[in-house]
Amino acid sequence: MDYILFIATLVAIYSILTITMNILVGYIGILYLAHPAVYGVGAYTFAILAKGGTNYFLALLAAGAVATILGLIIAMPTLKLKSHYIGMSTLGFLIICHGLFINLKGITRGALGIPGIPRPTIFGETLNTNLSFFIFTIIITTVIGIILHRILHSPFSKTMEIIREDETAAKTLGKNIIKYKLQAFMITSFFGGIGGGLLASLLGYISPTNFNIDELVLILTMVIIGGMASFWGSIVGATIIILIPEALKFLDIAPALIGPLRYGIYGMLIILFMIYKPNGILGRRTNVFSK
Amino acid sequence: MTNILEIQGISKTFGGVHAVEQCSFSVKKNSITGLIGPNGAGKTTMFNLISGLLKSTEGSIHFKDQDITNFTAYKRARRGLARSYQAIRVFPEMTALDNIVVAFGNNKEGLFQAFTPFRRHQRRLECKAMKLLELVGLEEKAHLKAYELSYGQKKLLEILRAKANNAELILLDEPTAGINPTLIKKITTLIRQFQKEGHTILIVEHNMPFIMDLCETIIVMDRGHNIAEGKPKDIQSNKEVLEAYLGKSHA
Ligand SMILES: Nc1ncnc2c1ncn2[C@@H]1O[C@H](COP(=O)(O)OP(=O)(O)O)[C@@H](O)[C@H]1O
Ligand SMILES: [Mg+2]
């Protein structure tokens, strides 16, 4: 039961990470591959501040703010580049940031990672049980979910989608493309950074391996099989992908094989969905990978 | 009558190709003006220069008495300039209705407006968009995705979208190309109605009966230059124009 609550909390947090990635990739159509770097910076910011005694909620907000700064830096070259070059440039940022997580030992403790990241304390009670932290996370992720749902079902979101569909036509209809792209990056990185902070708090320990290319594969699989430009699809995608390794545990497979098998399955899922169901489970047909 | 658009000595070169060279002309407010010329004359390039998708190598563009030469495309659109494309550019995954709704200038599309009540305003815009679709009998297609429409219906949709964009000057690049005569009639009626409502229309076309019937003034381009300008009947008998279309030996 306790373990199920842990997994449910993980699903809630990854839903936020997936929706925020979907905003850039699915809605506005930017081949953004740096998300683990962005929520990773959020996770580290939160971990360091919360361990240092900063108020839990302030530390979460700071995680969002610092991630937003990184998000805007990553955004800059994408404004000038086209599709696959954007993929290369954002992937470059992921690799650089991962390198910094390893090498800035004075801040991140390098490969040793940061242990003992606290859980919140509310009315003098520290939420150390999985049940109490689950309830806490559900409340916060629901609030974020409501905000994102509102944004993604508004005229703002329709304008993001026409920019994905045809940037030139959107421009000659008077849409300020740069403003929309920067705002999309801000939403993605701010709420992604908070998601990273919650993840750090759930795990209690983070290290650079939490924010590498494997993580990108994980989130990208969630976005693609859930569906591009779909709020609910992202939640479905995150749920399925989190549950796959849990399901593997019930099969009679050597534990050493489960790790590689997991990523093999994610890769297969991406390929199968790309070929047979490019819209994902609930998403839209888009041109993001083909333009 | 005053001019809504004034092009002065504008040029555009691509590498060594002089697509538009020292072109000057003006468009009268509330007129229907034609821009014709053989293939490769530089008409589409001229539209790209006017709408701001391309930057001119020299010359200036004035729109509503303001120098817009250095304005980006979206700023020109906001000043009241809209266009359709020779190669269709509808938003394929949006419904026909949404293709028009997103074009209305005031549709509460700001990020923070997402947290204000926008639904009623959206309904109103949807009604306005529906009225536009009704003008050309597309109301039953309103909820189809744009990619599901026929070629001609997509072209109509693009024209309506330009109109919805609150445009004072509408640029139409070959609106009748590849379209059946029934739809061409609809387009003619539509353009006349836009003029009655105060819009100015500049049309690039190869369909001579269509353009001669519709336009008050016709500008002729050939190999990047504007070589003639006048009333349709004068253009039809202009020696340089005939040369441009038929080659020197025939004229
Ligand atoms: N983006 C471009 N790059 C290079 N050459 C171009 C480009 N666009 C147009 N041209 C050239 O400019 C000339 C004018 O083209 P265009 O404006 O499309 O003519 P029209 O619309 O009158 O048929 C042609 O010779 C064309 O090949
Ligand atoms: Mg052309």
Side-chain angles (χ1 to χ4, degrees):
Chain A
M1 180 61 202
D2 211 39
Y3 187 66
I4 292 175
L5 285 170
F6 173 82
I7 293 298
T9 313
L10 206 56
V11 165
I13 294 170
Y14 269 92
S15 295
I16 297 297
L17 298 179
T18 307
I19 295 167
T20 47
M21 174 144 180
N22 207 340
I23 292 173
L24 282 175
V25 178
Y27 282 85
I28 205 163
I30 294 172
L31 195 48
Y32 158 79
L33 302 177
H35 208 34
V38 168
Y39 66 75
V41 161
Y44 273 106
T45 305
F46 171 82
I48 292 162
L49 289 178
K51 261 191 94 167
T54 308
N55 173 287
Y56 190 93
F57 293 95
L58 271 181
L60 272 186
L61 285 178
V66 175
T68 306
I69 293 169
L70 177 64
L72 289 175
I73 293 170
I74 294 172
M76 290 306 157
T78 69
L79 300 175
K80 295 261 173 227
L81 296 172
K82 293 245 179 291
S83 67
H84 294 101
Y85 295 100
I86 295 179
M88 296 308 290
S89 130
T90 53
L91 195 59
F93 272 107
L94 174 58
I95 292 166
I96 291 169
C97 290
H98 183 241
L100 290 177
F101 295 153
I102 295 174
N103 290 307
L104 290 179
K105 295 199 175 76
I107 304 171
T108 64
R109 290 172 33 100
L112 291 177
I114 300 180
I117 302 165
R119 296 271 173 97
T121 302
I122 295 191
F123 305 124
E125 287 283 331
T126 302
L127 307 184
N128 271 327
T129 66
N130 279 344
L131 175 63
S132 57
F133 189 66
F134 169 73
I135 293 170
F136 172 81
T137 312
I138 283 294
I139 292 171
I140 295 203
T141 52
T142 303
V143 170
I144 294 175
I146 288 170
I147 295 172
L148 292 176
H149 185 274
R150 180 87 189 175
I151 292 174
L152 296 177
H153 294 82
S154 73
F156 173 81
S157 154
K158 266 189 197 157
T159 301
M160 287 203 292
E161 292 204 57
I162 69 168
I163 291 171
R164 177 197 71 224
E165 299 264 281
D166 194 326
E167 198 170 309
T168 300
K171 229 186 271 180
T172 53
L173 287 175
K175 313 303 181 201
N176 183 349
I177 309 289
I178 291 180
K179 184 181 104 185
Y180 278 92
K181 285 186 173 173
L182 287 178
Q183 287 179 335
F185 264 101
M186 285 171 70
I187 304 165
T188 293
S189 46
F190 181 72
F191 292 108
I194 293 179
L198 288 172
L199 187 64
S201 185
L202 171 69
L203 302 176
Y205 166 76
I206 55 167
S207 75
T209 52
N210 291 106
F211 314 105
N212 58 13
I213 291 193
D214 288 350
E215 279 288 298
L216 171 67
V217 174
L218 188 78
I219 307 270
L220 196 58
T221 316
M222 293 173 180
V223 171
I224 289 172
I225 75 162
M228 302 282 269
S230 167
F231 175 90
W232 294 107
S234 290
I235 295 174
V236 171
T239 310
I240 292 175
I241 295 302
I242 296 284
L243 291 183
I244 282 179
E246 303 313 314
L248 287 179
K249 283 178 191 161
F250 289 99
L251 300 175
D252 199 14
I253 302 170
L257 281 179
I258 285 186
L261 191 62
R262 250 176 79 187
Y263 286 98
I265 291 177
Y266 298 155
M268 284 287 286
L269 278 175
I270 292 189
I271 293 169
L272 289 176
F273 269 87
M274 285 287 198
I275 297 173
Y276 297 107
K277 210 168 180 337
N279 305 12
I281 294 169
L282 291 171
R284 280 177 181 273
R285 199 174 66 164
T286 67
N287 51 9
V288 181
F289 296 100
S290 58
K291 74 181 170 189
Chain B
M1 251 203 289
T2 56
N3 293 327
I4 189 165
L5 182 72
E6 284 180 23
I7 310 284
Q8 282 154 1
I10 215 161
S11 303
K12 178 72 197 176
T13 48
F14 296 106
V17 182
H18 296 274
V20 170
E21 213 178 349
Q22 285 290 332
C23 248
S24 301
F25 63 86
S26 51
V27 175
K28 287 199 176 74
K29 200 167 159 54
N30 204 209
S31 69
I32 301 177
T33 304
L35 180 61
I36 64 170
N39 267 322
K43 307 177 298 291
T44 297
T45 305
M46 178 59 79
F47 268 19
N48 289 338
L49 289 167
I50 298 172
S51 55
L53 293 179
L54 290 175
K55 271 205 156 321
S56 54
T57 22
E58 58 175 338
S60 70
I61 303 174
H62 286 252
F63 175 59
K64 295 196 294 181
D65 296 324
Q66 185 178 27
D67 187 348
I68 61 161
T69 318
N70 295 318
F71 279 32
T72 54
Y74 91 86
K75 281 205 176 125
R76 296 183 195 203
R78 289 200 185 162
R79 286 279 296 161
L81 223 161
R83 65 172 293 182
S84 75
Y85 292 85
Q86 185 176 350
I88 289 172
R89 280 187 180 274
V90 293
F91 302 118
E93 288 292 316
M94 319 280 290
T95 62
L97 196 69
D98 275 345
N99 261 271
I100 298 177
V101 170
V102 293
F104 288 115
N106 60 338
N107 77 340
K108 301 204 177 193
E109 59 190 348
L111 173 55
F112 296 103
Q113 284 173 309
F115 301 98
T116 61
F118 56 76
R119 292 238 154 68
R120 180 138 29 111
H121 187 70
Q122 282 288 299
R123 293 277 137 64
R124 258 203 307 274
L125 294 183
E126 280 166 14
C127 285
K128 271 173 78 178
M130 201 55 128
K131 293 233 167 64
L132 285 173
L133 287 170
E134 281 165 9
L135 283 179
V136 293
L138 276 183
E139 65 277 11
E140 278 172 18
K141 313 276 179 186
H143 297 288
L144 290 185
K145 297 239 171 113
Y147 76 83
E148 297 174 288
L149 302 178
S150 74
Y151 181 81
Q153 290 166 341
K154 284 181 196 152
K155 287 215 123 174
L156 282 174
L157 185 61
E158 244 196 77
I159 297 172
L160 296 176
R161 190 179 67 182
K163 151 86 177 161
N165 200 216
N166 204 12
E168 289 165 65
L169 175 61
I170 302 175
L171 312 174
L172 302 177
D173 199 349
E174 304 203 14
T176 74
I179 284 189
N180 70 51
T182 326
L183 279 190
I184 293 183
K185 280 217 184 75
K186 276 186 189 166
I187 293 181
T188 309
T189 322
L190 203 57
I191 292 174
R192 288 234 159 83
Q193 182 173 339
F194 291 173
Q195 184 186 32
K196 280 201 197 88
E197 291 173 16
H199 301 276
T200 310
I201 301 105
L202 178 62
I203 313 172
V204 163
E205 254 308 335
H206 286 297
N207 180 339
M208 287 306 148
F210 171 79
I211 201 126
M212 294 294 167
D213 170 44
L214 205 50
C215 297
E216 298 130 38
T217 308
I218 290 178
I219 298 152
V220 189
M221 282 183 75
D222 182 33
R223 278 167 283 172
H225 299 275
N226 55 318
I227 56 165
E229 181 172 340
K231 296 205 164 63
K233 64 176 188 330
D234 301 332
I235 290 295
Q236 277 166 309
S237 54
N238 180 303
K239 188 158 161 290
E240 282 184 71
V241 175
L242 292 174
E243 273 177 14
Y245 271 93
L246 303 170
K248 248 191 168 77
S249 57
H250 294 270

